[in-house]
């Protein structure tokens, strides 16, 4: 019971920090859409920012973290904290060298990279994308180190402050653009350069803050490389399949960008805006849960406690269903209102609004699947098995490409977003099938029962929300931003009240865990 409580508590910490980060991310996107809109300049900036983020997934919070955390946890439990810290410094030093080399190579090869991933850009958009890529590539060094530091902090059960790291980056982006806009009438291109500079500034803030926390847990800032460390070989062997698997997954990003560049101008930007809005609930709940469960799963496997691992997996899936199913319904009904409130101003017009909503609606269909992929993959990583997720990632990428080519012909950018959701569903199902073959069945009966209970309430609140929205009960449509905010707030409050009363009546256990955490936070707010 204590483990379940700790899991819920850690998820709550990460979710709270991630929520604050996503809110500042929305403010950042408000600036981005206001100044750049869904224009060719926004497309160039979006492409340039995609590239270091792809590599960040490989070397930062992806393959390396997944291979490193189980070994670090095992050394901490079976040897000593001092040995674990020494091993961590070794990994950080090696990563530093690799990232420096990658940044240099990326800056030199920026024109070639842009020509490969976005051949459909106009000549002026291509030139701008190349320059922005060269400016943004050092961000890979900053976020790569920051991500592995955060992984180490998570093993030491430090979750909340590291989860605020994206807030620092968002503020770093917002501050220079805001200050510059007060004193100058700059062009779209000049503003894109300031956004790029802000990304680097935010990356520096993230690295400094998390490095300080790392010092608090006992790390000393010195370079140390020991290529003969016995666990290094184990990490490397697990990391190679992880890099391949995540590299295969990043092919999705390249393919989506390439195909989007062949559609109407602004498609790349609209897909990214829609994806970022989808990332709000996914980051706050799905990815936050993945961050919280990897150290827990690693502890279970280090103790050879497969029963506890299966229980934690069941709890995680039920929590995903509880949180994501109503969010999908509310996104489909209220998505356009949300986008209007956040983005509809400046260079962001009605056409961009419709394009972004189309992307958001079809991306949101994959919220449960994307969340489950993170959970199931981390279970494999905790079991020190990175090969199976790699192979399944390959199947998902092939599925995504096939769905893209078919659906974009009929649905345009909606097809690209829907293809992502379908591919994630296939990936989640395959991961679950092979995971249960390895550790035995989890409690499918409980999951299925909860799915019908939660699904029933999710459908109900979706219908209620649509009825209220169409009836203009809370102020007429197309009002000021304040009226839209009041209307959305009222609908959300009613919908969530109905939902939580319903799942309480249905006796969904995961709802009780949330109530307990909220009650504890209210009675002891300093925890």
């Amino acid at each position: 019971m204590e483990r379940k409580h700790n899991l819920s508590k850690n998820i709550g910490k990460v979710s709270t920090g991630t929520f604050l980060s996503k809110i500042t991310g929305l403010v950042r996107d408000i600036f981005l859409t206001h100044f750049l809109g869904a224009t060719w300049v926004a497309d160039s900036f979006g492409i340039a920012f995609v590239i270091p983020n792809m590599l960040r997934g490989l070397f930062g919070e992806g393959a390396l973290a997944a291979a490193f955390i189980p070994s670090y946890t095992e050394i901490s439990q079976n040897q000593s904290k001092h040995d674990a810290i020494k091993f961590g410094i070794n990994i950080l030093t090696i990563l530093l060298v690799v990232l420096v080399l990658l940044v240099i190579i990326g800056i030199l090869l920026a024109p070639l990279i842009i020509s490969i991933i976005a051949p459909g850009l106009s000549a002026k958009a291509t030139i701008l994308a190349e320059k922005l890529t060269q400016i943004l590539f050092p961000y890979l060094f900053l976020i790569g180190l920051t991500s592995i530091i955060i992984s180490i902090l998570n093993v030491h059960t430090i979750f909340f402050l590291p989860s605020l790291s994206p807030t620092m980056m968002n503020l770093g982006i917002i501050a220079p653009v805001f200050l510059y806009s007060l004193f100058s009438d700059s062009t779209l291109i000049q503003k894109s350069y300031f956004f790029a500079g802000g990304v680097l500034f935010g990356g520096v803030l993230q690295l400094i803050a998390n490095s300080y926390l790392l010092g608090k847990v006992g790390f000393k800032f010195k370079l140390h490389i020991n290529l003969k460390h016995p666990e290094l070989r184990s990490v490397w062997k697990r990391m190679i399949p992880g890099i391949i698997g995540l590299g295969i997954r990043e092919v999705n990003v390249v393919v989506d960008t390439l195909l989007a560049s062949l559609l109407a101008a602004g498609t790349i930007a609209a897909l990214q805006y829609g994806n970022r809005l989808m990332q709000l609930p996914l980051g706050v709940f799905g990815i936050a849960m993945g961050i919280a469960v990897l150290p827990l799963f690693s502890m279970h496997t280090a103790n050879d406690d497969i029963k506890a691992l299966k229980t934690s997996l069941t709890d995680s899936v039920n929590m995903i269903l509880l949180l994501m199913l109503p969010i999908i319904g509310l996104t489909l009904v209220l998505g356009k209102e949300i986008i209007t409130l956040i983005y509809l101003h400046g260079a962001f017009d009605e056409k961009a609004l419709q394009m972004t909503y189309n992307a958001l609606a079809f991306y949101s269909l994959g919220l449960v699947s994307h969340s489950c992929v993170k959970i199931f993959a981390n279970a494999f990583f905790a079991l020190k098995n990175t090969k199976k997720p790699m192979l399944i990632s390959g199947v998902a990428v092939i599925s995504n490409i096939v769905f893209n080519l078919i659906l974009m012909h009929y649905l345009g950018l909606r097809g690209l977003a829907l293809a992502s959701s379908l591919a994630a569903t296939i990936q989640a199902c395959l991961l679950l099938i092979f995971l249960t073959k390895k550790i035995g069945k989890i409690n499918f009966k409980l999951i299925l029962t909860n799915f019908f209970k939660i699904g029933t309430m999710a459908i109900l609140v979706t219908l209620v929300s649509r009825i209220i929205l169409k009836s203009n009960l809370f102020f007429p449509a197309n009002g000021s931003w304040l009226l839209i905010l009041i209307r959305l707030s009222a609908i959300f409050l009613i919908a969530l009240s109905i939902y939580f009363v319903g799942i309480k009546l249905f006796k969904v256990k995961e709802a009780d865990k949330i109530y307990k955490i909220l009650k504890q936070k209210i009675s002891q707010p300093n925890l």
Side-chain angles (χ1 to χ4, degrees):
M1 183 65 188
E2 181 63 25
R3 282 172 179 162
K4 293 181 183 178
H5 173 72
N6 287 338
L7 173 59
S8 301
K9 188 175 181 180
N10 289 339
I11 291 169
K13 289 179 181 179
V14 179
S15 295
T16 301
T18 305
F19 176 74
L20 295 174
S21 298
K22 292 298 182 180
I23 293 299
T24 57
L26 284 179
V27 176
R28 176 203 66 205
D29 285 348
I30 288 172
F31 274 80
L32 187 64
T33 53
H34 179 81
F35 288 120
L36 302 184
T39 62
W40 66 271
V41 175
D43 282 348
S44 296
F45 179 81
I47 290 169
F49 196 39
V50 158
I51 297 165
N53 269 305
M54 286 194 304
L55 293 172
R56 151 193 166 178
L58 296 178
F59 294 96
E61 56 200 25
L64 179 56
F68 165 74
I69 286 180
S71 291
Y72 186 86
T73 303
E74 191 172 310
I75 293 173
S76 297
Q77 296 223 345
N78 299 335
Q79 297 180 36
S80 68
K81 181 180 177 181
H82 173 75
D83 291 329
I85 289 175
K86 189 175 180 180
F87 177 60
I89 292 173
N90 191 23
I91 291 290
L92 281 170
T93 306
I94 294 171
L95 179 62
L96 185 148
V97 174
V98 172
L99 289 174
V100 168
L101 293 175
L102 281 174
V103 168
I104 294 172
I105 294 171
I107 291 173
L108 294 175
L109 298 182
L112 176 62
I113 295 170
I114 294 299
S115 68
I116 292 173
I117 71 170
L121 289 180
S122 64
K124 59 182 180 180
T126 299
I127 293 172
L128 179 59
E130 291 171 0
K131 292 179 179 178
L132 290 173
T133 299
Q134 291 172 328
I135 294 171
L136 285 169
F137 234 100
Y139 174 69
L140 170 62
F141 172 83
L142 300 169
I143 193 60
L145 286 177
T146 299
S147 296
I148 199 67
I149 289 172
I150 289 174
S151 297
I152 295 172
L153 293 173
N154 291 163
V155 174
H156 290 275
T157 66
I158 300 174
F159 289 97
F160 179 66
L161 291 177
S163 69
L164 291 175
S165 294
T167 298
M168 301 172 199
M169 190 196 75
N170 294 330
L171 295 177
I173 295 173
I174 293 167
V177 176
F178 177 71
L179 292 174
Y180 186 74
S181 67
L182 291 178
F183 303 106
S184 174
D185 293 326
S186 55
T187 65
L188 282 177
I189 294 176
Q190 289 172 329
K191 288 170 182 172
S192 71
Y193 286 130
F194 268 84
F195 274 111
V199 170
L200 297 181
F201 178 55
V204 171
L205 293 179
Q206 285 181 301
L207 182 57
I208 291 173
N210 285 287
S211 296
Y212 172 77
L213 292 174
L214 194 64
K216 289 290 187 180
V217 300
F219 276 73
K220 294 181 180 180
F221 301 99
K222 61 180 181 180
L223 299 180
H224 171 72
I225 294 180
N226 178 12
L227 298 178
K228 296 181 180 180
H229 192 288
E231 273 297 320
L232 187 62
R233 184 180 182 87
S234 176
V235 170
W236 179 244
K237 287 174 66 176
R238 293 196 303 273
M239 185 180 171
I240 291 176
I243 289 177
I244 296 172
L246 287 167
I248 292 171
R249 190 185 70 184
E250 295 301 340
V251 171
N252 278 340
V253 179
V254 175
V255 171
D256 288 350
T257 304
L258 188 154
L259 295 176
S261 73
L262 302 176
L263 298 175
T267 297
I268 294 174
L271 283 169
Q272 290 182 340
Y273 296 150
N275 186 265
R276 283 175 191 153
L277 286 174
M278 187 267 290
Q279 290 292 330
L280 176 57
L282 183 60
V284 170
F285 301 118
I287 294 177
M289 194 175 300
I291 292 171
V293 300
L294 180 54
L296 179 64
F297 290 172
S298 297
M299 183 186 71
H300 292 327
T301 56
N303 295 330
D304 199 24
D305 193 347
I306 298 301
K307 182 179 178 181
L309 176 61
K310 291 195 287 186
T311 299
S312 294
L313 271 169
T314 302
D315 290 343
S316 299
V317 174
N318 284 328
M319 193 72 77
I320 287 171
L321 294 175
L322 177 70
L323 297 170
M324 291 303 184
L325 288 180
I327 289 175
I328 293 173
L330 291 175
T331 300
L332 294 175
V333 173
L334 304 175
K336 190 172 289 188
E337 292 278 305
I338 295 170
I339 296 168
T340 299
L341 177 66
I342 298 172
Y343 292 152
L344 191 60
H345 47 74
F348 194 92
D349 55 19
E350 290 285 346
K351 180 182 177 182
L353 167 64
Q354 186 60 50
M355 292 172 69
T356 302
Y357 171 71
N358 288 339
L360 172 62
F362 285 91
Y363 273 134
S364 69
L365 297 177
L367 279 170
V368 171
S369 299
H370 284 295
S371 301
C372 286
V373 165
K374 186 70 175 176
I375 297 298
F376 299 151
N378 278 349
F380 274 106
F381 298 152
L383 292 163
K384 298 184 178 181
N385 183 340
T386 55
K387 291 182 180 179
K388 193 67 70 176
M390 174 195 72
L391 296 173
I392 294 174
S393 292
V395 175
V397 167
I398 294 172
S399 301
N400 184 64
I401 293 173
V402 172
F403 287 138
N404 270 333
L405 294 173
I406 295 173
L407 296 174
M408 72 176 289
H409 180 70
Y410 299 100
L411 300 174
L413 73 83
R414 294 172 296 175
L416 298 179
L418 179 58
S420 174
S421 297
L422 293 174
T425 302
I426 291 174
Q427 186 177 6
C429 291
L430 289 176
L431 283 169
L432 180 58
I433 290 169
F434 285 100
L435 184 60
T436 53
K437 285 184 177 180
K438 188 172 184 65
I439 65 173
K441 290 184 178 180
I442 59 177
N443 194 340
F444 286 112
K445 182 178 179 181
L446 178 60
I447 292 173
L448 191 60
T449 300
N450 281 341
F451 175 79
F452 283 112
K453 291 178 179 179
I454 295 168
T456 299
M457 290 309 305
I459 293 172
L460 176 61
V461 297
T462 300
L463 293 174
V464 170
S465 299
R466 180 170 177 79
I467 291 170
I468 295 174
L469 183 67
K470 292 300 181 181
S471 66
N472 294 325
L473 181 60
F474 298 102
F475 305 108
N478 302 319
S480 67
W481 71 268
L482 180 58
L483 295 182
I484 294 174
L485 177 61
I486 294 173
R487 182 166 62 248
L488 282 174
S489 299
I491 295 173
F492 271 120
L493 183 61
I494 293 171
L496 292 178
S497 298
I498 294 172
Y499 180 68
F500 280 108
V501 169
I503 59 174
K504 185 70 174 178
L505 293 174
F506 274 135
K507 298 181 179 179
V508 178
K509 291 194 302 182
E510 281 64 31
D512 292 332
K513 297 175 187 177
I514 294 177
Y515 292 139
K516 287 179 182 178
I517 293 172
L518 292 175
K519 185 178 180 180
Q520 184 184 43
K521 289 291 182 182
I522 293 171
S523 61
Q524 297 174 305
N526 60 328
L527 288 179

